[in-house]
Amino acid sequence: MLRTLSFFLALLGLGLSEKVTFENHKVYRLLPETQEQVDLLHKMEDSVGFSFWKGPSYVNKSVDLMVTPSNLAEFTELMTLNGLKYEVYVDNVQRLIDTENPKTRSSSKDGSISLNEYHTLDEIYSYVEYLAKNYKEVEVVDAGRTSEGRVIKGVKISYQEGNPGIFIEAGIHAREWITPATALYLLDQLLNSTDKNIRALAEKHDWYIFPSFNPDGYVYTHSKNRMWRKTRSHKNTFCAGADANRNWDFKWMSGGASNYPCAETYAGSSAFSEPETKSMAKYIKSVGNKLFAYISFHSYSQLLMFPYGHTSAHLDNYNEELSIGKKTIEALRQRYGTKYVTGNIAETIYVASGSSSDWVKANLKLPVVFTYEFRDTGKYGFLLPADQIIPNGEEILDSLLAMFQEASRLGYPNSA
Ligand SMILES: [Zn+2]
């Protein structure tokens, strides 16, 4: 058994204690042009040595795949045999990891934080406590526990209790570091901006902002494996964790999720098998009647999507969400020219079931539910350099202003 275990660990590039290196791991962009090629890529999702940065969906939709040096020969053979076109997007993943954060990190004694670098979970949580200490509008929310026993901490900002609520979730996928960083940027702006539009947005709503829905995974991306996506539960033999955004109890395992425990999109042993999703669902429900909007942050691909992911059918208030989506991405583009695409999840990216946004839409019937996939379109992928945190944050805030303006024009929330 031990031998099998270490064999698999070796395959996964995991020593028992040291940090995983991604030296000479490459990311390829592939373009499947037939359904057979799409099917082949789906099969590769369940095999060791290949890690999808952007999974397969439809014919003529590109796919990003990270390949280890030891799997390179097999990869090129598979591509050639099946006539799949590919090009290198990232030549050496480790080089991007090494240059992602500034060389000199700032240090803080009081818990305040610099917004143009990526932070550890401890730093994020100290910042959250710092905000609660320094702003009377801020309250720290303890919304649950992870499988390793960490607290899932959020921030509630309320200038006037009873304002229509907006919930923002970041970091459900551990390696998408730009998402917690952007949540921190928003917290700062909602509390400190002097721009009158931002002030009005901040003060007219109650904000529930969670920088990390997956603290165990996030810690693991710092301590062991920068490219970790899932939770860190240990329910099966050798592959830890489940995809926390395939684990929610709405149309669970009905497409775009895997029942293979080692796959990046493993849906878990059952719906809400992960303590993170189970406790967050409970918390979200407990404040559900105060909310009209739920926003989840992901990276990358520059998309703004709305439910549903399990079907491409145009359900609920599809037309209104599309109208809000269009206004939102138009506003987002103004500042830096960053182009997003909007549409429902299944049509815009791929079929994916068991996501938090589908669950929220179906259970709480909120009119405004969106999922962002932030910068970029693949040059850096999950390893967006820290000097893009603030520009990304600025354009996202521009877009949120437009989102809630258009929502309001459509009568959401009804009480406003
Ligand atoms: Zn994600």
Side-chain angles (χ1 to χ4, degrees):
M1 179 59 203
L2 192 62
R3 201 194 247 169
T4 330
L5 184 67
S6 45
F7 169 70
F8 276 112
L9 288 172
L11 273 181
L12 292 168
L14 294 170
L16 285 168
S17 57
E18 73 273 25
K19 237 178 181 171
V20 179
T21 172
F22 291 90
E23 196 58 42
N24 291 321
H25 286 48
K26 293 181 191 301
V27 179
Y28 291 94
R29 175 151 298 177
L30 323 175
L31 190 69
E33 292 170 309
T34 65
Q35 190 53 46
E36 289 71 39
Q37 293 174 343
V38 173
D39 295 342
L40 168 79
L41 293 170
H42 277 302
K43 259 185 229 145
M44 289 168 70
E45 282 189 292
D46 289 351
S47 51
V48 175
F50 300 116
S51 167
F52 284 85
W53 280 25
K54 190 164 95 194
S57 55
Y58 307 108
V59 169
N60 289 326
K61 284 244 179 181
S62 68
V63 169
D64 293 347
L65 177 64
M66 183 172 72
V67 180
T68 66
S70 57
N71 283 73
L72 191 55
E74 188 193 348
F75 167 76
T76 45
E77 194 186 327
L78 266 173
M79 296 301 105
T80 311
L81 261 169
N82 293 279
L84 250 150
K85 287 186 188 143
Y86 63 94
E87 58 178 318
V88 182
Y89 247 63
V90 177
D91 187 52
N92 182 353
V93 172
Q94 188 60 43
R95 199 175 316 139
L96 296 192
I97 293 174
D98 293 341
T99 52
E100 183 179 25
N101 237 348
K103 275 223 153 49
T104 324
R105 300 282 319 279
S106 60
S107 66
S108 146
K109 285 198 175 65
D110 60 358
S112 65
I113 214 164
S114 89
L115 294 166
N116 54 6
E117 55 189 85
Y118 293 109
H119 294 281
T120 63
L121 186 75
D122 285 345
E123 290 166 345
I124 292 172
Y125 280 2
S126 305
Y127 181 57
V128 163
E129 299 295 344
Y130 162 86
L131 292 179
K133 210 180 287 165
N134 289 280
Y135 296 83
K136 62 178 185 337
E137 301 82 10
V138 171
E139 182 190 320
V140 178
V141 181
D142 170 350
R145 288 287 179 283
T146 67
S147 60
E148 292 178 345
R150 292 188 178 85
V151 177
I152 306 173
K153 257 185 213 187
V155 175
K156 184 178 173 196
I157 301 178
S158 180
Y159 287 89
Q160 189 196 317
E161 185 61 40
N163 274 334
I166 298 171
F167 196 107
I168 294 182
E169 159 216 310
I172 196 168
H173 288 142
R175 63 192 175 186
E176 298 164 9
W177 281 12
I178 185 62
T179 71
T182 305
L184 302 186
Y185 174 83
L186 285 182
L187 286 172
D188 173 69
Q189 289 294 303
L190 294 172
L191 292 164
N192 297 323
S193 175
T194 51
D195 177 290
K196 71 173 186 343
N197 294 321
I198 297 170
R199 286 252 54 82
L201 178 77
E203 291 172 17
K204 273 199 306 206
H205 300 97
D206 282 353
W207 299 84
Y208 300 80
I209 300 182
F210 283 76
S212 180
F213 255 33
N214 179 7
D216 293 352
Y218 190 66
V219 167
Y220 197 72
T221 61
H222 285 265
S223 63
K224 281 284 181 73
N225 180 345
R226 175 63 189 87
M227 301 319 302
W228 191 257
R229 167 182 169 98
K230 298 188 279 183
T231 62
R232 291 296 304 162
S233 55
H234 289 269
K235 291 203 166 77
N236 48 70
T237 47
F238 52 85
C239 283
D243 184 338
N245 209 36
R246 298 290 184 279
N247 188 242
W248 295 63
D249 191 12
F250 175 71
K251 306 280 180 190
W252 180 78
M253 271 303 285
S254 64
S258 176
N259 55 17
Y260 173 58
C262 298
E264 297 283 17
T265 55
Y266 175 52
S269 52
S270 61
F272 287 149
S273 60
E274 307 308 292
E276 292 83 358
T277 55
K278 195 177 177 178
S279 54
M280 288 319 299
K282 194 174 156 202
Y283 177 72
I284 294 164
K285 249 190 178 155
S286 76
V287 296
N289 61 0
K290 301 174 177 166
L291 303 175
F292 78 105
Y294 188 94
I295 318 282
S296 43
F297 287 169
H298 288 256
S299 74
Y300 58 98
S301 286
Q302 295 175 195
L303 305 171
L304 178 68
M305 303 175 290
F306 49 89
Y308 287 91
H310 73 281
T311 171
S312 53
H314 297 176
L315 303 177
D316 300 348
N317 60 338
Y318 175 93
N319 292 328
E320 285 76 17
E321 292 250 44
L322 182 63
S323 160
I324 297 171
K326 283 179 176 165
K327 286 278 194 298
T328 306
I329 65 170
E330 200 180 294
L332 192 154
R333 202 179 59 228
Q334 298 308 314
R335 191 183 289 258
Y336 294 112
T338 313
K339 284 186 189 145
Y340 274 55
V341 171
T342 190
N344 74 18
I345 299 166
E347 289 178 314
T348 310
I349 187 163
Y350 38 54
V351 170
S353 56
S355 69
S356 57
S357 59
D358 273 17
W359 181 88
V360 165
K361 188 76 179 174
N363 284 278
L364 303 183
K365 311 274 182 229
L366 305 188
V368 182
V369 178
F370 281 98
T371 298
Y372 280 84
E373 295 279 353
F374 290 160
R375 295 180 181 200
D376 59 7
T377 54
K379 184 174 180 221
Y380 296 101
F382 303 118
L383 303 169
L384 197 69
D387 61 13
Q388 292 196 40
I389 295 171
I390 290 174
N392 181 75
E394 290 171 328
E395 69 194 13
I396 294 307
L397 187 49
D398 293 341
S399 80
L400 290 172
L401 282 165
M403 176 182 286
F404 292 110
Q405 199 169 31
E406 179 65 3
S408 160
R409 197 186 67 79
L410 293 168
Y412 305 139
N414 298 326
S415 54

